[in-house]
Amino acid sequence: MIVVVRMLVRRVLSLVPLLLGVVLFVFVVMRFSPTDPAMAAFDGGNATQAQLEKFRQDNGLDDPLPVQYGRFVWRLLHGDFGTSVITRQPVSDSIATALPLTVQLTLLGLFIAIVLALVFGVTAALFRDRWPDHLIRLVSLGGVAAPAFWVALLLIEWLAVGGGLFPTSGYVNMNDSFGGWLRSLALPAISLSLPVAAQLTRIVRTSMVEELDRDYVRTARGGGLPPLVVVGRNVLRNALINPLTVLGLRVGYLLGGAVVIETIFALPGMGRNLIEAVKDGDASKVQGFVITIAVGFVLVNLIVDVLYLVANPRLRSRS
C-alpha cells in the first residue's frame, strides 16, 4: 500500500508540468487564432470600433501575453474558466452541464469495448489457428480500419432509419427514463467502442497466447486442474496486464472520438459544445472545454498507471 501511495505521489507531481504545458498550448493557440473574441461578442460587424476597444480593455485583451496567461492560470486554479462571449454565462456552468453526458458515453463505450475484447480475444486464443481464431482476427482487423464516424453512419442507416430500433439523435436523461437513456446512448456508444474493441481484442489474444505457452500452464494442466480454473484463475489474470497498459490511451481515444460522435447524434455533450464554440469563435469556451478534456485524459492515465501497479506484483516489488 505504501508503494502504491508513493508511486501515486510521484505520478501526480510529474503531471503538474504536463498540465501547465497543456494550458500554455491552448492559451497560445487561442490567442494567435484569427478569430477575434471582441468581434465574436458583438456578432461580427455589429459594433463600432470604440465598442470593440472597450470590450478588449474591459476583458484584459490589450494586456501583454504573459500578463494574460498569468491571469488565466490564476483563474483556472480557482475553478474560473471565464465567461462565454456568446451566452454571457460562466463557462464552468456549460462544462457542468455537458461533462456528465460525455462521461456517460465514454464509460458506456469503454464497458462495451472491454466486454467485446475479453470475449473475442480469449476465444481467439483458446481456438488458436482454427477457424474461430481466423474469423475473429479478420473481423478485428476490419474494426481497427473502420473509423468511428463511418460506423456511426452505418448504424444509423441500419438500426435507426431502417430498423427503427433506436433514435437517430437526441438524449434522454437517465433520471427521466433509464430505458430511454440506454436507447439514446446505445448507438453512439457502440460506434465509439467498436474500433477500440477491435484493437483490444488483438492485444488480449496476443497476451493470452503468450501466457498459454508458459511452463506453469502446462504444469497445471498436467496436474489435472480443470481448464476453466487454469484459464480463469491464472492465465487470464496474467494476460490482462499488457492490455491494461494500453487501456489508458484507448480511453483518451474515446474522449476524443466523442467530439465527432456527439455531433453526429446531436448529443449535448462536451464534443458538440466544443465544435459549436469553435464555430462561434467563443475563445473562453473553447479553452475551458479543451482543458477539461485534457485533464480528464491525464487523470484516466493516472488511474490506469495505479491499476497496472496493483495488477503487476513484479513491478510493485521493484518500486
Side-chain angles (χ1 to χ4, degrees):
M1 184 64 183
I2 296 178
V3 175
V4 175
V5 173
R6 188 183 302 123
M7 177 194 170
L8 181 60
V9 172
R10 288 203 304 264
R11 293 292 189 185
V12 171
L13 292 178
S14 66
L15 292 178
V16 172
L18 175 62
L19 290 175
L20 289 176
V22 170
V23 171
L24 177 61
F25 176 78
V26 174
F27 175 82
V28 171
V29 168
M30 293 309 302
R31 286 302 178 274
F32 286 96
S33 170
T35 302
D36 187 353
M39 296 291 289
F42 289 98
D43 193 21
N46 298 328
T48 63
Q49 188 63 31
Q51 289 176 312
L52 294 176
E53 292 178 359
K54 185 176 186 307
F55 178 87
R56 296 188 184 101
Q57 184 177 8
D58 292 342
N59 291 272
L61 300 178
D62 291 336
D63 295 336
L65 284 180
V67 175
Q68 294 185 45
Y69 178 69
R71 184 167 55 239
F72 178 60
V73 173
W74 178 255
R75 289 175 176 174
L76 286 180
L77 293 176
H78 291 79
D80 183 6
F81 290 90
T83 302
S84 169
V85 297
I86 305 298
T87 64
R88 310 293 183 179
Q89 300 294 323
V91 175
S92 56
D93 291 349
S94 300
I95 294 175
T97 302
L99 183 59
L101 192 154
T102 299
V103 171
Q104 293 169 23
L105 176 60
T106 302
L107 291 180
L108 185 58
L110 181 63
F111 174 76
I112 295 173
I114 291 175
V115 171
L116 292 178
L118 288 178
V119 171
F120 292 112
V122 172
T123 302
L126 294 178
F127 291 90
R128 176 175 31 172
D129 296 330
R130 284 181 277 178
W131 71 264
D133 181 27
H134 295 311
L135 179 61
I136 291 173
R137 291 166 67 184
L138 179 62
V139 173
S140 64
L141 182 61
V144 171
F149 73 88
W150 181 73
V151 175
L153 295 177
L154 289 181
L155 292 179
I156 291 175
E157 177 66 24
W158 293 343
L159 301 180
V161 176
L165 301 176
F166 299 95
T168 58
S169 61
Y171 172 72
V172 177
N173 194 291
M174 184 188 299
N175 296 327
D176 297 332
S177 171
F178 180 79
W181 170 82
L182 193 59
R183 290 181 70 247
S184 67
L185 289 185
L187 292 187
I190 293 173
S191 305
L192 202 58
S193 67
L194 287 184
V196 176
Q199 294 173 355
L200 289 179
T201 295
R202 298 172 68 83
I203 297 173
V204 170
R205 188 252 180 207
T206 302
S207 297
M208 283 288 297
V209 168
E210 292 177 354
E211 286 297 318
L212 288 171
D213 289 338
R214 295 189 183 278
D215 292 336
Y216 78 88
V217 176
R218 288 190 289 268
T219 302
R221 286 174 172 173
L225 286 178
L228 185 61
V229 174
V230 176
V231 174
R233 181 179 299 176
N234 301 109
V235 177
L236 184 60
R237 182 177 60 185
N238 294 331
L240 290 182
I241 294 177
N242 289 333
L244 189 60
T245 61
V246 184
L247 191 59
L249 296 177
R250 296 304 93 197
V251 174
Y253 168 85
L254 291 173
L255 285 171
V259 174
V260 178
I261 296 300
E262 287 175 0
T263 303
I264 292 176
F265 288 94
L267 299 174
M270 296 283 289
R272 186 183 176 193
N273 277 271
L274 177 59
I275 291 180
E276 290 179 351
V278 172
K279 289 167 56 179
D280 295 336
D282 196 338
S284 297
K285 207 169 184 179
V286 172
Q287 290 175 161
F289 277 76
V290 170
I291 290 173
T292 301
I293 293 175
V295 170
F297 176 77
V298 169
L299 291 179
V300 166
N301 279 273
L302 175 63
I303 295 173
V304 171
D305 286 342
V306 174
L307 292 177
Y308 180 65
L309 178 66
V310 173
N312 193 342
R314 290 173 296 178
L315 181 62
R316 190 165 60 245
S317 63
R318 291 198 303 263
S319 299

